[in-house]
Amino acid sequence: MTFVFGPMESWELEVLDQAAECLVRARYVIALTGAGLSVESGIPPFRGPGGLWTKHGEPPMDGYERFLRDPKKAWEDRLNPAGPMRELWEALNSARPNPGHEALVALEELGILKCTITQNVDNLHRTAGSTRLLEIHGNATLIRCINCVARYEREEIDFAELPPRCPRCRGILKSDTVSFGEPIPSDVLAGCSDEAERADCMIVAGTSATVYPAAQFPISIHERGGDLLEVNPYESEITAFCRLALRGPAGELLPELLERVRSRL
Ligand SMILES: [Zn+2]
């Protein structure tokens, strides 16, 4: 998707300056990112125009139950993807991080950004170099044991027999991507809660932050008097709670923000 993004108006520059001030003054800044950031890297969204589910139909809402009922079949489908999954895999394989991902890494390296919580499963934050990363809906390139929560790269796993088993505990392995009806892995959820409790400022980029459980984190920060900075081309459900709203694609605004933070350090 291409955003037409003209030269910035003076009030927009003013909001960017205020946002940079906010980041520099805050004690503990975290970020929450969502599909909007991935779309800028060429990954199709699930819903809305061009969305995978819009085109191919909504997936079953009981994905996790289906997996548990027949993990062998789920793995057969997974290893020979069709329809929306095939399209998603192709997009994931060719996608590269955009300047928005890279700006978050630079903010982390400056010591400003303490943690990134993402709802995206596309591995782009990792590829860009984020090290303090919590992937609340999992990571599509990883495989997780549903028993001991250990995570593995695909190459580490033997697929000769399906479902594959955990090398550590022999538990059944599943894609790390959180399925419909599947609880968020406890380690990630606990990490997100800890980070949200410590944060007094959150960058909310490319997400309307309405999907539970990610939605609770910005709201809890706001309720404790922290500042939310929205980076999104569109107004969203979270806008009303944000101290500042930067209107435009994250891939353009986050680098602008980074530059202004740098000049204040
Ligand atoms: Zn295990």
Side-chain angles (χ1 to χ4, degrees):
M1 194 185 295
T2 316
F3 294 97
V4 180
F5 192 62
M8 273 186 274
E9 313 257 350
S10 60
W11 68 268
E12 290 175 306
L13 294 169
E14 174 64 23
V15 176
L16 267 172
D17 281 330
Q18 287 173 16
E21 278 297 319
C22 216
L23 292 180
V24 171
R25 270 203 321 262
R27 265 185 309 103
Y28 201 93
V29 180
I30 64 175
L32 174 67
T33 70
L37 199 56
S38 298
V39 167
E40 291 177 42
S41 281
I43 294 184
F46 291 112
R47 294 195 172 86
L52 290 173
W53 297 339
T54 313
K55 273 195 285 182
H56 298 278
E58 292 271 331
M61 297 306 285
D62 60 348
Y64 190 53
E65 222 182 278
R66 283 172 185 236
F67 177 85
L68 294 179
R69 218 157 40 214
D70 195 349
K72 182 167 185 280
K73 166 88 168 57
W75 270 107
E76 284 165 358
D77 293 348
R78 162 88 182 191
L79 295 172
N80 295 295
M85 285 320 291
R86 184 184 192 95
E87 196 175 328
L88 184 60
W89 275 111
E90 283 166 3
L92 288 177
N93 285 334
S94 59
R96 292 291 165 268
N98 66 58
H101 296 102
E102 285 155 10
L104 291 175
V105 174
L107 285 171
E108 189 183 310
E109 286 167 355
L110 289 175
I112 295 283
L113 183 64
K114 303 294 196 286
C115 175
T116 299
I117 299 174
T118 188
Q119 301 167 89
N120 301 335
V121 299
D122 50 38
N123 201 39
L124 292 178
H125 283 293
R126 263 177 218 238
T127 310
S130 288
T131 58
R132 301 201 53 191
L133 181 65
L134 291 163
E135 295 164 306
I136 196 165
H137 294 159
N139 181 316
T141 70
L142 298 180
I143 290 166
R144 168 168 42 84
C145 173
I146 61 173
N147 180 46
C148 75
V149 202
R151 291 174 180 81
Y152 302 96
E153 304 277 347
R154 213 177 153 120
E155 307 80 69
E156 297 175 81
I157 298 305
D158 179 8
F159 291 98
E161 267 185 57
L162 298 179
R165 297 280 175 166
C166 177
R168 198 179 297 173
C169 79
R170 304 299 298 155
I172 290 177
L173 294 176
K174 181 190 166 292
S175 163
D176 184 44
T177 309
V178 175
S179 304
F180 279 115
E182 180 178 5
I184 305 290
S186 53
D187 56 341
V188 176
L189 194 58
C192 292
S193 299
D194 288 348
E195 292 295 329
E197 261 168 49
R198 297 168 82 173
D200 59 348
C201 179
M202 181 186 245
I203 300 169
V204 184
T207 174
S208 55
T210 47
V211 178
Y212 183 83
Q216 69 190 318
F217 304 124
I219 296 302
S220 77
I221 293 168
H222 171 74
E223 283 172 353
R224 282 184 294 101
D227 292 324
L228 304 182
L229 310 179
E230 180 174 50
V231 181
N232 200 319
Y234 316 105
E235 219 174 90
S236 80
E237 290 84 344
I238 198 80
T239 304
F241 302 97
C242 291
R243 191 163 110 84
L244 297 165
L246 305 174
R247 279 288 158 256
E252 300 201 24
L253 290 176
L254 288 175
E256 292 280 346
L257 194 54
L258 168 65
E259 204 177 290
R260 284 163 176 77
V261 166
R262 269 205 181 111
S263 72
R264 283 169 169 78
L265 294 176

